[in-house]
Structures are given as C-alpha cells and as structure tokens.
Amino acid sequence: IGVNQIVGPMIARSWRGGRKDEVRLLVLAGSAIAFVVAGIGFLAYWLLGRFALSLFDPTYVEAWGVLMILSAGQLVNTICGPNNFLLNMAGRERDYLAIMTVWGALALVGISIGASQFGIVGAACASALCMAGWNISAAILAQRVMRG
C-alpha cells in the first residue's frame, strides 16, 4: 500500500503528460519494490510465523499454513503492481469494476465451497486464488491499455 501511495501520483503525472514509457517504468519499479518488500515479509512469516502466532496463543500455530497461503496471494498482488491506478486514469474503471465484481463473486462461492469441503485451508486457498485472479486479470488489461 505504501509503495502504491508513492508511485500513484507519479504515475498520474506521467500519464497526464503522455509519457507512457515513464508510466511503464514506474509501474515496473513499483511492482518490483512492492514484491521485494512483500517477499521479505513472506520470508519472515515462513521463518518466524509460528513463533509470532504462538505469542497470541499456542494453538494459533496451527494457522501457520493458512497464513502462508494468504501471504502467497499477497505476493501475486504485489508483483501485478498498481494496475488500479492505471486503469482508472485510462478511463477503464468500468472494466476494472467488472473484474473486481466477477472475482469477488467467485471468491464468495469459492470460499464457501472451500470452507465446507476443506475447512479453513480451503477457504484460504480460494481467497488467495481469487486475489491472484483479479490481480492477474487487471495486469493483463493494463498491459493492453499500455500497448494501445
């Protein structure tokens, strides 16, 4: 979120100025920085997550796998970059809304089915997959916008 707050206005200025190459560079740099930061967080959860969860309650350690699944979804989110800014500036906010609506509905169904069939791990998998799905869909659309 912090990286997006920094690169968002920069992307807006470059977009408004018609500097698409600069927009591409900012999106790439923002995505890379966010991914590295999220990757460090993921690694910290991997190495220290059980300990951190046990500080709240020893039984929370059982949720470490769920934490890792949800964190993997966040890694995909960060590598896809600040596509929402780009799509909104390009006048493609309705397309972005459609992506979010479809993936949001799929998340509701997927989480319900995942939870009923596989418990909390199934719910976490469905949630992470839907987060990845909407971000990948937005990234694909953003790439088309930048080309055309």
Side-chain angles (χ1 to χ4, degrees):
I1 292 172
V3 172
N4 287 345
Q5 289 176 333
I6 293 169
V7 299
M10 297 166 73
I11 292 169
R13 281 191 295 274
S14 298
W15 180 266
R16 176 106 169 133
R19 299 181 301 272
K20 283 191 175 183
D21 287 339
E22 197 171 292
V23 171
R24 282 186 194 95
L25 179 62
L26 287 167
V27 169
L28 178 64
S31 300
I33 292 167
F35 183 75
V36 168
V37 171
I40 292 168
F42 184 85
L43 184 60
Y45 287 158
W46 186 272
L47 297 173
L48 303 171
R50 289 181 178 96
F51 170 72
L53 290 168
S54 74
L55 293 175
F56 294 101
D57 188 304
T59 61
Y60 284 13
V61 172
E62 297 172 23
W64 179 81
V66 171
L67 176 66
M68 297 313 301
I69 292 166
L70 294 172
S71 297
Q74 285 296 331
L75 281 175
V76 175
N77 176 22
T78 59
I79 198 66
C80 287
N83 294 307
N84 57 332
F85 294 127
L86 182 58
L87 294 173
N88 286 330
M89 285 182 292
R92 303 297 293 268
E93 63 278 350
R94 288 186 177 157
D95 294 331
Y96 186 64
L97 176 62
I99 288 169
M100 295 298 294
T101 300
V102 168
W103 282 103
L106 288 171
L108 290 173
V109 172
I111 291 168
S112 296
I113 293 170
S116 68
Q117 298 298 311
F118 304 102
I120 194 168
V121 171
C125 286
S127 179
L129 287 171
C130 287
M131 178 182 289
W134 97 57
N135 280 284
I136 291 168
S137 298
I140 290 168
L141 179 58
Q143 287 296 320
R144 289 182 187 154
V145 166
M146 289 304 295
R147 282 190 213 125

